[in-house]
């Protein structure tokens, strides 16, 4: 996943240095404007990032792994923020969402299709595009 994200992030944020951190990666000692890492690689950092986004918190290796969860919780600066992503957040996290800001977005199957664009045609033959 780390390697799949890098070209997409580089395209979206042109001119920004993107570093990838995963087991055996050659960039493991480099610093970047954006760092994409496995959760295990985050164990090497303390208060190093302004924003930490963790995807699939309901899956291995993050789910039910208190040492890894603790290590990740130490990676953000004191003024930083965490975004935890999950299609199926654990009940414990859902229960604690009253204390935190929680949000949701529709899944791909719940998003209504985009309506087809139409150009209205008026009685005299003029259209909105010509007016």
């Amino acid at each position: 996943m780390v390697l799949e994200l890098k070209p997409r992030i580089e395209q979206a944020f042109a001119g920004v240095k993107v570093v990838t951190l995963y087991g055996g990666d050659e960039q493991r000692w480099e610093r970047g404007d954006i760092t994409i890492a496995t959760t295990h690689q985050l164990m090497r950092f303390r208060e190093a990032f302004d924003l930490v986004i963790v995807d699939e918190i309901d899956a291995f290796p993050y789910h039910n792994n208190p040492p890894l969860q603790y290590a990740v919780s130490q990676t953000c600066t004191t003024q930083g923020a965490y975004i935890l992503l999950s299609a199926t957040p654990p009940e414990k996290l859902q229960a604690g969402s009253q204390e935190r800001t929680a949000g949701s977005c529709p899944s791909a199957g719940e998003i209504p299709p985009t309506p087809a664009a139409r150009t209205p045609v008026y009685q005299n033959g003029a259209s909105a595009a010509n007016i």
Side-chain angles (χ1 to χ4, degrees):
M1 184 64 131
V2 169
L3 291 177
E4 294 169 6
L5 285 173
K6 185 175 183 177
R8 295 168 64 188
I9 297 294
E10 287 175 327
Q11 182 180 10
F13 298 95
V16 171
K17 183 175 181 180
V18 179
V19 172
T20 56
L21 302 176
Y22 60 92
D25 188 24
E26 296 176 7
Q27 289 186 305
R28 67 180 151 255
W29 303 115
E30 292 183 36
R31 299 286 298 202
D33 300 309
I34 297 176
T35 301
I36 305 169
T38 63
T39 51
H40 282 92
Q41 293 299 316
L42 292 177
M43 296 176 87
R44 300 183 300 133
F45 296 92
R46 182 171 173 83
E47 297 183 6
F49 304 105
D50 294 319
L51 174 65
V52 174
I53 302 171
V54 182
D55 192 14
E56 298 188 23
I57 61 167
D58 58 316
F60 178 83
Y62 191 81
H63 183 65
N64 286 334
N65 190 334
L68 186 55
Q69 293 170 1
Y70 175 79
V72 170
S73 76
Q74 301 302 301
T75 60
C76 226
T77 61
T78 55
Q79 299 299 312
Y82 292 90
I83 298 176
L84 306 176
L85 302 173
S86 173
T88 55
E91 288 182 21
K92 183 177 179 181
L93 184 62
Q94 290 180 46
S97 67
Q98 290 81 12
E99 301 167 14
R100 300 178 190 90
T101 302
S104 65
C105 62
S107 68
E110 297 172 336
I111 299 171
T114 304
R118 291 190 238 167
T119 302
V121 178
Y122 300 98
Q123 277 187 333
N124 65 2
S127 72
N130 299 28
I131 297 177

